[in-house]
Amino acid sequence: MSKAAKSLFDPNLFLAKVSEGTTILNFEKNAVVFSQGDAADSVFYIQKGKIKVLVVSEQGKEAVVGIMEPGQFFGEGCLNGHPLRISTTTAMEECVVTSITKAAMLAALKSEPQFSELFMAYLLSRNSRIEEDLIDQLFNSSEKRLARLLLLLANFGKDGAPQPITTQVSQETLAEMIGTTRSRVSFFMNKFRKLGFITYNGKIEVHSSLLNAVLYDKPEIKSDE
């Protein structure tokens, strides 16, 4: 599908026409969309806001494994035979989400090729991100992992100009996502600010100099612990 064709297809308008099996849901900040262990019987599409995905181990330890943005799906595991949710999702800010039952989602994928292609592109992108995250965890230092996460949150490498990280993301959340401690994140964030890689002005703004430091493996950001 060409970029022009993609721009003509609006998933929000398409889902609004699917009257049976879809529901528009509004969530306040910190509201739980679904919890780990709940029945998995629907897929969700984000219209507005950001959703945090976290998992809890048998020992009760929590870890943030992703932040989902507008235009992304979550809860798609039900299409792959998962009877229960394997994660908990919460709203990081006010969110508008379309809930699509499993049956309605399968029917939409069969009836609308453009929607099917959109969903496939999302799955491929998500799979690539998971592979990149695994490589990041295996081979990069926590400092490099934080730099990469900040670049991702600021949309570097995606279509359009980089944007400030408008959603409030705590240092605890950043630490959970890269597998380190909050004190280490605080140390690295202060270092990045002093080097001019980021600025604070009520929100985090990431500069292109951070991208260059990561891409060209500059010594300012250490490659090992």
Side-chain angles (χ1 to χ4, degrees), residues 1 4-11 14 112 114-116 118:
M1 187 190 301
K6 284 185 179 180
S7 66
L8 295 175
F9 179 74
D10 187 335
F14 170 70
E112 178 50 68
Q114 288 183 305
F115 181 69
S116 180
L118 175 79

Side-chain angles (χ1 to χ4, degrees), residues 34-135:
F34 58 73
S35 298
Q36 189 170 326
D38 286 352
D41 53 9
S42 56
V43 180
F44 298 88
Y45 179 79
I46 304 174
Q47 294 188 29
K48 175 186 175 183
K50 292 187 178 181
I51 298 290
K52 178 170 65 176
V53 184
L54 62 90
V55 295
V56 183
S57 70
E58 293 182 356
Q59 293 74 32
K61 184 177 180 179
E62 294 186 356
V64 177
V65 296
I67 294 177
M68 313 303 291
E69 302 178 335
Q72 294 184 318
F73 298 86
F74 64 99
E76 69 275 6
C78 67
L79 302 177
N80 196 33
H82 290 168
L84 302 176
R85 300 295 186 189
I86 60 174
S87 63
T88 295
T89 54
T90 60
M92 300 185 69
E93 55 194 22
E94 290 187 359
C95 293
V96 179
V97 177
T98 301
S99 172
I100 316 154
T101 64
K102 178 180 178 179
M105 186 70 181
L106 291 173
L109 292 172
K110 290 180 180 179
S111 66
E112 178 50 68
Q114 288 183 305
F115 181 69
S116 180
E117 187 169 343
L118 175 79
F119 185 65
M120 181 63 71
Y122 158 75
L123 292 179
L124 292 173
S125 175
R126 184 168 170 79
N127 185 62
S128 295
R129 170 69 186 277
I130 291 171
E131 290 181 350
E132 291 167 0
D133 286 348
L134 178 58
I135 293 170

Side-chain angles (χ1 to χ4, degrees), residues 26 47 148:
N26 295 277
Q47 294 188 29
R148 175 175 173 269

Side-chain angles (χ1 to χ4, degrees), residues 143-154:
E143 185 174 3
K144 266 200 164 184
R145 295 198 299 272
L146 176 61
R148 175 175 173 269
L149 177 58
L150 292 174
L151 290 167
L152 288 170
L153 291 174

Side-chain angles (χ1 to χ4, degrees), residues 174-189:
L174 293 174
E176 289 176 4
M177 294 186 73
I178 65 171
T180 190
T181 62
R182 193 206 64 79
S183 60
R184 292 284 284 172
V185 167
S186 178
F187 173 80
F188 295 141
M189 292 289 280

